[in-house]
Structure formats: structure tokens, C-alpha cells
Amino acid sequence: MLSFQEQLPIVLNSLNTGFLKTLYLFLVTLAGAIPLGLIISFGSMSRFKPLAVLTRTVVWIVRGTPLMIQLLIVFYFPGLVLHNPIWGGDESGRFLAAAVAFIINYACYFSEIFRGGIQGVPYGQQEAGQVLGLSKRQIFFKITLLQMIKRIVPPMSNEIITLVKDTSLARIIALQEIIWAGQSFMKGSHGISGQIWPLFFTGIYYLVFSGILTVLFGKLEKKLDYFKT
Amino acid sequence: MALLDAKNIYKSFGKTEVLKGIDLSLQKGETLALIGSSGSGKTTLLRCLNFLETPDKGTITVNGETLFDASVQKKMSDEEIRQKRQHFGLVFQNFNLFPQYSVLKNVTLAPTLLKKGTAEEIHDKAVSLLESVGLKDKMNAYPCELSGGQQQRVAIARALAMSPDILCFDEPTSALDPELTGEVLKVIKQLAEENMTMIIVTHEMEFARAVSDRVIFMDGGVIVEEGTPEEVFANTKNERTKQFLQNYRQNEY
Ligand SMILES: Nc1ncnc2c1ncn2[C@@H]1O[C@H](COP(=O)(O)OP(=O)(O)O)[C@@H](O)[C@H]1O
Ligand SMILES: [Mg+2]
């Protein structure tokens, strides 16, 4: 059996690879969910009632059910129910399925935050801009946007830090992210087996990553602290 | 010729008729006080003049130019409305300063975005306006650092920076603690002395009487009485005006 000193580099190497997958899923989710969330928030605020009701219902369903189930449905539904396995069975297919599920789920959460931020800016701000003769564009970019950002930064930072940890749910469809990598040393991998410490060790990665994000968001909040809405 | 002529203004919200045929004209340099109980349509009238609401009927003319005519079917473009509303300025009850900008930037923002002069001209004008409302030393402060009275004075400077022909005030001191109303009223009084053309909606009857050239009493969406401050406050013959003023005097004690 390998000594701990011999195991460590092997394990770290494997965890790093898993973490890159985790990080990739995290970034792809953000890149997809932020714009989609904006679109959904506009839909939920639409003056066209059927659209508003429809989007709010979808948001309610997505937020009211576990992300784990959504992952399983997105991954298995096309193949097992529709007999059209669009994802394929390989790692890239699993990643795509996971990304789709995460983007939809997080877009719904983000949309509620965006809606709160947009509706939270007092209407008087817009009217003050209007009576000064500013255009809608100028009012949005020069007056309301920063006030919205100030309102959404704290809830977004919570949600994004939750996303860091939620990426581990992709383990359920065998995506080779960091939990999967850590767990592989229990069954046996790279000549190491029956070891549980690598799995526990993955917690450090999450801690460091969410710690960095907490500091960054804290700085951003502080930067916006100079005014009060 | 009158500077402002608003004729036969009607406005409803759904089934609620709020303005029922308002005729209002204003000479250049005149200060008009608009009084009336809450719900009588004063805010709605100011909002119509500032194109925040569209009247259902009537015309609005400034300097002989018809800005609005409800009988013309064509819908105005945003661009057109923006041009036209620049004849008016509006000071809100709750100030509505832009919280993320300094006092100075609040005043220079609109003239800068709308290219009302060079950066230097706009800056100098803003500074002198802030000086005239007594807030030059606060020009780098943010709105959240100011008292309500100071915020309202900034809002007045901000409106003046766009050089409106007519400045409208919608209960400019209603959101203020009593000890802060004086400083705002003083600024408005000073503007009246400089012959700024103004329409002031207010519940400060003493102030209205002292500062205005003419008073209009509105009730239920119509103008009930119109006259000099003396005629309205001291010698009104109208029962509704009497009743309204009496209620006010009672409430003051
Ligand atoms: N946007 C609106 N929608 C519906 N009703 C309104 C709206 N704005 C004002 N009103 C109604 O119009 C009436 C007059 O309001 P307002 O012009 O604010 O009066 P005042 O300023 O004299 O108190 C009130 O009964 C008010 O409820
Ligand atoms: Mg009002």
C-alpha cells in the first residue's frame, strides 16, 4: 500500500481535475443563467397577463422542486421516456445535461432577484429623469441601473455561493466533478482504494472557493456603500 | 399673450374623473398658488403639464406654441414629448434626488446628457444655482447625507438647471419636518422675487398668501375660485372656499 506522502499528489491531481469540471459547470451556469434570468424576469413583469402568469408558474415549479430531481429529469427524460437520447452517454453529454438543468434552475432563482431589484427602484426616480427631459435609455443607464445593481448584489452573492456547493449535485448523473473524483478513491482508482479522506478533502476546495467569492462580493458591496437608496 | 394657456383639461383614471375642464393661464413672471383639499386633482394637473399624464381632452399652449392638443389623433413620439416637457420643471413632494450622484452631479446630469452647453458652462451654472439655494458647501455630499430641507433645495436647483419656462412645485414641503419647511419656502420666495414663473401646489396657506400673485382654489377636479391672495384668503364670497380655509385654520391650532 502507498504511504500518505505517496497518495497525496495522486489524489490532489485527481481532485484538481474534478475541481476544474466543477468550476467549468459553475461558470457555464452563471453565463447562461444571468441572461436567461433577465429574460424570465421581464416575462414575469410583462403587462401581457398570460405571459406573466405562465412565467411565474414555471418559476414557481422550478423553485419549488429539488434541483436533484430536475437534473435527473433533464438527463433521463429524453432517452428513457422519449426514446431519443439527445445527450449521449459520455462525459460531455452528462456535462451538457447538467449545464442545462443548472441554467434553468438558477435562471429562475436569479429572475426573482432581478424582479425585486427592478421593481424596488422607486418609480419617482424614473419620473424625475423624465421631467428633466431624459430619454428612456438615459434614465435606465444613468439613473436606475446602478440602483438595481446595488439592490441585487447581496441576494445574488448568496445565490452564487450556493451555486458553488450545488454543483456537487451533478454527481447524481455521474458527472466527473470533484465529489466524483474524491469518491473514486473509495472503490479504487490510480492504485488507491478504500480511502475516504480524499472525499472529505474536497470540502477544502469548496471552502476556499466560496471564501474567495465571499471576499469579492463583500468588496463589491462595500464599493456600492457610498450611497443609500 | 399669456406664457401658459391650458384650456379645458379633462383627465380620468378608469371611471374616476379627476380633472373636469380646467382652464389655467399664467403670465410670464407670475407666481400662482394652487390650493385645495387632498384628492381635488392638483397633482394630476401638474403631471398633465409635465407630460407625465396625457389629458383626455384639452389643449396646452406655451408662448403661443401648442404643445398638446387632445383633439389631434396622432400619438406623440417620445422624442417630441421630451422636447415639449422641457418648457416645464417639476419639483416633487419627496424630492426624488438621484442617490448615487453627488449634489453637484444631480444638478449637472440632465444638462450634460442633453448637451445644454459646455462642461464648464454647465458646471458654473450648477455651482451658482447651488449657491443661490444655499448649498454650495454641500456640493460634493451625497443626498443621503442631507436633511430633507437640503434635499429639496437641491431638487429645486436641479430643476432650474434645465432653465424651464415654468417651474411647478407639488407640495414641496409636505414631506418635511416643520422646522425644515422654512428654508425651502425661503428659496421659493426668492425665486418669486426674481420673477420666475411658478405654479405652487401647497398647504402652507400663509406662505401661499405671501408669495403668490394669484391663487386658484380647486375642488373635485374643477376650479372653484380664482383671484388675488387678498380676494381668496381675506374676502372670499364662495362658500366652498370659506369652508376649506376654515378647516385649515382649525387644524393649525
Ligand atoms: N394613476 C392614478 N390612477 C388612478 N387614480 C388616480 C391616479 N392618480 C390620481 N388618481 C386619483 O385622482 C384623484 C386626484 O388625485 P390627485 O391629483 O393626486 O389629487 P391632489 O394632488 O389634489 O391630492 C384621487 O382620487 C386619486 O385617487
Ligand atoms: Mg397631490
Side-chain angles (χ1 to χ4, degrees), chain B residues 38-39 42-44 93 170-171 201:
Chain B
S38 147
K42 306 179 298 296
T43 297
T44 306
Q93 186 173 337
D170 191 4
E171 301 193 30
V201 172

Side-chain angles (χ1 to χ4, degrees), chain A residues 35-220:
Chain A
L36 183 60
L38 256 183
I39 293 169
I40 294 174
S41 77
F42 289 140
S44 71
M45 291 185 289
S46 171
R47 260 175 265 171
F48 180 60
K49 274 280 164 290
L51 179 63
V53 170
L54 182 74
T55 29
R56 284 186 197 204
T57 308
V58 170
V59 168
W60 173 68
I61 291 171
V62 171
R63 300 208 320 159
T65 56
L67 175 52
M68 167 113 53
I69 294 180
Q70 293 162 18
L71 263 167
L72 292 171
I73 291 175
V74 168
F75 185 58
Y76 288 115
F77 195 80
L80 295 184
V81 181
L82 302 179
H83 305 292
N84 178 18
I86 50 174
W87 307 119
D90 63 354
E91 175 68 6
S92 69
R94 286 192 293 272
F95 183 84
L96 210 57
V100 167
F102 271 85
I103 287 173
I104 293 172
N105 182 275
Y106 269 82
C108 287
Y109 278 95
F110 289 170
S111 78
E112 290 290 281
I113 294 175
F114 294 154
R115 186 156 69 95
I118 292 168
Q119 292 179 336
V121 176
Y123 196 62
Q125 289 291 308
Q126 263 188 60
E127 293 193 333
Q130 281 175 3
V131 298
L132 289 167
L134 304 185
S135 68
K136 288 195 172 126
R137 233 190 129 74
Q138 290 168 331
I139 291 171
F140 179 74
F141 285 107
K142 298 290 179 177
I143 299 174
T144 40
L145 182 61
L146 191 64
Q147 297 183 45
M148 286 172 197
I149 291 174
K150 184 180 167 83
R151 277 163 195 277
I152 67 172
V153 165
M156 280 299 275
S157 83
N158 281 336
E159 216 49 67
I160 288 172
I161 286 165
T162 304
L163 171 61
V164 172
K165 294 166 287 176
D166 271 1
T167 52
S168 62
L169 290 170
R171 169 72 190 85
I172 198 71
I173 58 170
L175 186 75
Q176 295 169 12
E177 42 70 77
I178 186 168
I179 298 277
W180 180 90
Q183 219 177 2
S184 66
F185 294 106
M186 293 171 72
K187 277 184 269 166
S189 163
H190 299 88
I192 302 170
S193 69
Q195 295 293 338
I196 196 156
W197 71 266
L199 180 58
F200 295 165
F201 194 81
T202 60
I204 307 276
Y205 282 77
Y206 288 105
L207 260 186
V208 170
F209 188 30
S210 59
I212 291 171
L213 288 177
T214 306
V215 170
L216 289 179
F217 278 118
K219 281 198 170 150
L220 183 57

